[in-house]
Amino acid sequence: MADKDPYKTAYERERFARKQAETLLDEKSRSLYDSVVKLQSTVDALEETQEQLVQSEKMASIGLLAAGVAHEINNPIGFSLSNLTTLSEYVESFIKLDKLVVSNLPALESHPLANQYQALRKEEDISFIVDDLKELLGDTINGLNRVSSIVINLKKVTHSGELEMELHDVNHIIKESIKVVWSELKYNMEVQKQLTDVPMVLCHMGEIHQVLMNLFLNASHACEDKGILSLKTSTRKEKNQQWIVIEVNDNGKGMSREVIKKIFDPFFTTKPIGVGTGLGLSVSFGIIEKHGGKIKVTSVEGEGTTFIIHLPLPESDQ
């Protein structure tokens, strides 16, 4: 048998070694890539946890302040409303008296007092005052009622006043919430529902209504024309906890990352002055947190926004 060509042997050894090196490099690259993906996932989870902790601490601090402010404001609002209501009744009495005198002026035409009353009434423009008084008092009472409503929302931010929770069907709550705000949605929104059969969840129905209606109206405001409001329910298991998941998505103008960071802050709003109080989402955050749940938001400018609500299921349903 002829001796093997040493050059060929050396070439084959080199080729084998190169192939082994390439295989090893490929394995190491794949392992490194998997480690990078895992590390990125861990970093993302840490960032999300950090944001939640910061938000919770922020809400706790502001909650203490809000509780004190709400308590201090509540009393003067209460007696101011009471006084204005009484004043309205007094004004009505004076208006009735004025009407009585005016209706009898023709019979007292020759009496000097009748002429003086008529002249003074014209000079002071009593007819205008009578008409304007009712509107002024009405607007003032409405304004104070609005302040009172803000105080109530501030109390909700602080979690004050625990309400009894009962088992409810979230799909039913969603449908009812849509009906309540439909007059606001029907002109510029198409509602798409993907509501799957989910277990009953322990909650206070009125508060979940409030959260959903606020999200629906915000979606409508974010869509100028031909908006789509997509609603989806499902169940999900995370960390040995079973959740009901409600997703509220719109195809509106979306939000920047800077806005997303502040979206749940009390009194933060992107709406014009006088249009919103900036309490809607902070109250919603407090309500969901009080239910033992969590609410997150994802958004892309120019594409839309999605709010994801997690509500915990009772242990018997897990």
Side-chain angles (χ1 to χ4, degrees):
M1 178 182 280
D3 291 339
K4 215 171 183 183
D5 187 347
Y7 293 106
K8 185 176 181 181
T9 301
Y11 170 75
E12 287 178 351
R13 284 176 181 167
E14 182 186 354
R15 187 175 136 190
F16 178 73
R18 188 168 62 245
K19 190 173 182 181
Q20 278 191 317
E22 287 174 354
T23 301
L24 183 62
L25 181 62
D26 185 57
E27 289 175 354
K28 291 294 183 183
S29 298
R30 189 178 296 110
S31 176
L32 181 61
Y33 175 76
D34 291 341
S35 297
V36 169
V37 170
K38 189 175 180 180
L39 181 60
Q40 185 60 51
S41 176
T42 303
V43 170
D44 291 342
L46 284 171
E47 286 181 351
E48 182 179 347
T49 302
Q50 183 185 31
E51 286 181 7
Q52 289 177 349
L53 285 172
V54 169
Q55 184 64 37
S56 295
E57 288 298 319
K58 191 185 296 181
M59 290 296 294
S61 300
I62 295 176
L64 290 172
L65 174 64
V69 171
H71 178 73
E72 292 299 323
I73 293 176
N74 206 39
N75 288 336
I77 287 176
F79 69 69
S80 295
L81 276 170
S82 177
N83 289 349
L84 274 173
T85 303
T86 304
L87 179 60
S88 295
E89 294 172 359
Y90 291 168
V91 167
E92 282 295 329
S93 297
F94 280 110
I95 290 173
K96 287 178 182 178
L97 181 62
D98 177 68
K99 285 181 179 178
L100 177 65
V101 174
V102 170
S103 64
N104 285 281
L105 280 178
L108 302 170
E109 191 174 354
S110 59
H111 199 287
L113 184 59
N115 295 328
Q116 290 176 17
Y117 187 83
Q118 189 77 339
L120 183 61
R121 200 174 185 281
K122 188 175 182 180
E123 180 183 335
E124 298 295 335
D125 203 356
I126 299 300
S127 295
F128 170 79
I129 291 174
V130 167
D131 292 335
D132 199 38
L133 261 176
K134 293 180 180 180
E135 187 175 346
L136 281 173
L137 288 170
D139 288 345
T140 305
I141 291 172
N142 288 337
L144 283 174
N145 280 325
R146 187 180 176 192
V147 175
S148 179
S149 177
I150 293 172
V151 170
I152 290 170
N153 283 337
L154 279 172
K155 287 183 176 180
K156 287 179 179 176
V157 171
T158 66
H159 297 183
S160 61
E162 293 297 323
L163 296 165
E164 186 177 348
M165 296 186 185
E166 296 177 351
L167 288 171
H168 292 284
D169 180 0
V170 293
N171 290 336
H172 175 73
I173 297 175
I174 289 171
K175 291 173 184 175
E176 289 300 309
S177 299
I178 285 289
K179 288 180 183 177
V180 174
V181 297
W182 182 242
S183 60
E184 294 283 337
L185 304 181
K186 62 183 179 182
Y187 297 109
N188 70 320
M189 298 293 284
E190 175 190 342
V191 179
Q192 298 177 349
K193 297 190 286 285
Q194 298 180 48
L195 308 180
T196 57
D197 289 333
V198 292
M200 304 278 272
V201 68
L202 193 64
C203 67
H204 186 272
M205 185 171 63
E207 290 190 335
I208 301 302
H209 266 306
Q210 181 180 354
V211 172
L212 292 173
M213 288 189 292
N214 183 62
L215 294 181
F216 298 164
L217 290 174
N218 282 351
S220 175
H221 296 156
C223 300
E224 296 178 358
D225 189 29
K226 295 182 180 178
I228 297 175
L229 176 63
S230 301
L231 308 173
K232 182 179 178 182
T233 55
S234 59
T235 56
R236 189 176 302 169
K237 191 167 186 177
E238 294 177 1
K239 299 178 181 178
N240 298 321
Q241 173 64 57
Q242 195 76 12
W243 303 89
I244 294 286
V245 181
I246 305 170
E247 296 179 44
V248 180
N249 170 265
D250 68 67
N251 64 337
K253 54 190 176 184
M255 296 178 285
S256 66
R257 186 170 178 79
E258 289 71 26
V259 170
I260 291 174
K261 288 180 180 178
K262 300 177 182 178
I263 201 68
F264 294 115
D265 291 358
F267 302 111
F268 175 79
T269 180
T270 57
K271 297 174 183 176
I273 295 174
V275 175
T277 61
L279 283 172
L281 286 175
S282 62
V283 170
S284 298
F285 183 93
I287 288 173
I288 298 301
E289 191 179 59
K290 185 174 71 174
H291 280 72
K294 49 190 178 180
I295 179 170
K296 298 188 293 184
V297 58
T298 60
S299 186
V300 178
E301 287 187 276
E303 295 185 17
T305 301
T306 301
F307 283 90
I308 304 172
I309 298 170
H310 287 66
L311 293 172
L313 279 170
E315 290 185 7
S316 59
D317 293 327
Q318 296 182 33

